[in-house]
Amino acid sequence: MARLIPAFQSPDEIMHLHRADMIANGQLLLEKPAPDARGHTGGYTDLHLIRFATWMATITGNRKTDVSPAWLMDEASRHGWAHDRHFVDAVGTAYYLPLIYLPHAAGLAISRQMDWSMRASYEFTRGVVTLSVLALLAWAWQLLPPNLLVRALVLMPMSAFQILSPTIDGLCIAMTLVLGGLAIAQYQAQSQGSTTTPTCRWRFAAIVGFTFVLVTSRTNLLPLLALPLLLLCQRFSGTRLAAFMLLCAASLGWTLFVLLTTMDARIERTHTTLQIVQIYLEDPLYFMGLVGSTLADKDKGYMLIYSFVGVLGWLDTLIPKPAMRRIWAVLAALALLATVYAGREERQYTPLRAVLTACAVSSTLLAFFAIAVTWNDYPVPVIAGVQGRYFIMPALLLALALGPLEKERTPLQQATEFGVTGAMAGYFLLVLAVTLYGRYQLAAF
């Protein structure tokens, strides 16, 4: 399936891989293009990687070009690493913690050491990232068998496309589910009075670690700090309090650091990011009205709904509209089913469900807020630049909150889940494959 996708066809993938190459060469933070330049805007990456990305950008959007994706990928097989580094602008990745790029950086570092071609290096790196995502998903499934709504959200074309692309979206999707599984397992253990076992201790440490990586890789996921706080309130200890305070300080410190040091010259604005943040914080009702206007806008509202499930590529590869409607119908039906099953469980999980739901709702609002203050000027009638894929992680949190939280399943439930999952996977991935082949005409083998 991944071979149906040409290189650099996921949004911002070019900057993600440039940033990963910088990290692979020891440049953890973005640098100034010149000593007297303002802000941290980019860094140095291999010349042939830059040219490879530039070639592949010619087929993005609705541009008319005589070259085909297959020809471009074949050409990339003829060029290796230049070992000559040039400065590139990667300001769009400034907000993301370098840790999230470790799989990408490892793939590129190994490829450069082996002196593979650009195509082989790209496909190897994509494989490393995708396998990392699948390993994390396997861990998440082991911690808590996913309910059908979670499975549908992971299998839908938009999620699968991002998992198969070397960006950070797939990793964030998988880490969100791992964090949810860890938090649920820890909450259950603490409810049963188990707090001092080695398993509980390492699990809480893992929760703190995954929370830190997620909230510093996706700013709108800052509400996830409420999960370790809930566990701390459930079973208090001085060590956990210290870990939670360190987590908050590090997370908020990183966020403030990038807000103060990032200069985004891609858009011209009359206000700085911090000025717009202050304006919206002083008048939150105005901001909520702006969110409502964006959702009510005929074009942007519809695009959000469509792009949540299947606007692929650089927003230029749409799954068929009938398929989009069917997928949304499946999601709605499974949400209702998950809620019914969850209602049969004991009320001991009510605080956990409430926190997960609050995280989902607040993360959704923060996604609008983050785009409004970084990608829009003030004032604006609607928020531009919001894509449906930004809400996959909040949707997964809501799916966890709605679904059953117990690991045990009856044989009938297991058989039903297996059959429904197979049907969804068959249809969703078929839609994805047909859409990708129709757009790029690449052969899988």
Side-chain angles (χ1 to χ4, degrees), residues 252-282:
L252 298 177
W254 171 264
T255 303
L256 182 60
F257 167 75
V258 293
L259 282 175
L260 292 174
T261 58
T262 300
M263 173 77 69
D264 194 341
R266 294 174 297 175
I267 52 173
E268 295 184 2
R269 300 190 298 180
T270 57
H271 296 77
T272 66
T273 296
L274 288 178
Q275 287 173 335
I276 300 176
V277 168
Q278 183 179 359
I279 291 171
Y280 289 145
L281 290 180
E282 291 176 350

Side-chain angles (χ1 to χ4, degrees), residues 119-189:
R119 178 173 185 171
S121 299
Y122 175 85
E123 292 186 341
F124 177 76
T125 301
R126 175 164 58 183
V128 170
V129 175
T130 299
L131 289 174
S132 299
V133 174
L134 296 179
L136 287 168
L137 287 175
W139 186 11
W141 290 179
Q142 186 272 332
L143 290 166
L144 178 70
N147 62 61
L148 287 173
L149 181 56
V150 169
R151 300 180 193 206
L153 289 169
V154 171
L155 287 169
M156 66 182 186
M158 188 73 252
S159 300
F161 180 81
Q162 291 303 114
I163 289 171
L164 295 171
S165 301
T167 63
I168 65 173
D169 287 51
L171 288 168
C172 289
I173 287 171
M175 286 194 293
T176 298
L177 291 172
V178 170
L179 176 61
L182 287 169
I184 292 168
Q186 184 74 356
Y187 187 89
Q188 292 170 338

Side-chain angles (χ1 to χ4, degrees), residues 31-333:
E31 300 175 352
K32 300 177 182 179
D36 58 345
R38 297 179 58 195
H40 295 222
T41 57
Y44 293 86
T45 188
D46 192 89
L47 177 61
H48 282 182
L49 184 63
I50 298 171
R51 289 179 177 174
F52 183 26
T54 304
W55 297 340
M56 301 309 301
T58 60
I59 60 172
T60 61
N62 297 314
R63 305 177 188 180
K64 293 183 179 180
T65 177
D66 294 331
V67 299
S68 68
W71 184 86
L72 288 171
M73 294 297 286
D74 287 341
E75 282 295 298
S77 300
R78 299 186 176 94
H79 297 271
W81 292 86
H83 304 288
D84 179 17
R85 307 186 68 76
H86 288 246
F87 189 88
V88 293
D89 186 356
V91 67
T93 67
Y95 301 94
Y96 310 137
L97 190 75
L99 280 173
I100 195 69
Y101 289 105
L102 287 182
H104 314 69
L108 291 173
I110 294 171
S111 301
R112 184 173 55 252
Q113 187 67 29
M114 299 297 293
D115 204 20
W116 288 333
S117 69
M118 285 291 99
R119 178 173 185 171
S121 299
Y122 175 85
E123 292 186 341
F124 177 76
T125 301
R126 175 164 58 183
V128 170
V129 175
T130 299
L131 289 174
S132 299
V133 174
L134 296 179
L136 287 168
L137 287 175
W139 186 11
W141 290 179
Q142 186 272 332
L143 290 166
L144 178 70
N147 62 61
L148 287 173
L149 181 56
V150 169
R151 300 180 193 206
L153 289 169
V154 171
L155 287 169
M156 66 182 186
M158 188 73 252
S159 300
F161 180 81
Q162 291 303 114
I163 289 171
L164 295 171
S165 301
T167 63
I168 65 173
D169 287 51
L171 288 168
C172 289
I173 287 171
M175 286 194 293
T176 298
L177 291 172
V178 170
L179 176 61
L182 287 169
I184 292 168
Q186 184 74 356
Y187 187 89
Q188 292 170 338
Q190 293 181 174
S191 297
Q192 297 168 3
S194 176
T195 58
T196 59
T197 64
T199 299
C200 280
R201 286 196 293 268
W202 77 255
R203 191 188 291 132
F204 188 83
I207 289 169
V208 171
F210 275 101
T211 302
F212 177 64
V213 175
L214 278 170
V215 302
T216 52
S217 301
R218 283 286 182 257
T219 307
N220 67 301
L221 295 180
L222 275 170
L224 286 176
L225 293 170
L227 283 176
L229 177 60
L230 171 66
L231 297 172
L232 173 64
C233 294
Q234 186 189 24
R235 287 291 185 273
F236 180 84
S237 76
T239 303
R240 288 188 176 187
L241 176 61
F244 177 72
M245 293 178 65
L246 180 61
L247 168 64
C248 291
S251 302
L252 298 177
W254 171 264
T255 303
L256 182 60
F257 167 75
V258 293
L259 282 175
L260 292 174
T261 58
T262 300
M263 173 77 69
D264 194 341
R266 294 174 297 175
I267 52 173
E268 295 184 2
R269 300 190 298 180
T270 57
H271 296 77
T272 66
T273 296
L274 288 178
Q275 287 173 335
I276 300 176
V277 168
Q278 183 179 359
I279 291 171
Y280 289 145
L281 290 180
E282 291 176 350
D283 191 357
L285 291 180
Y286 174 82
F287 172 72
M288 294 301 296
L290 187 60
V291 172
S293 300
T294 304
L295 293 173
D297 184 83
K298 181 180 179 181
D299 295 327
K300 287 185 169 50
Y302 181 76
M303 190 60 177
L304 278 176
I305 293 172
Y306 207 150
S307 62
F308 181 79
V309 297
V311 177
L312 315 174
W314 286 80
L315 305 183
D316 57 6
T317 306
L318 284 67
I319 65 172
K321 289 185 179 179
M324 182 268 291
R325 298 189 186 100
R326 293 188 191 106
I327 293 172
W328 267 110
V330 170
L331 294 176

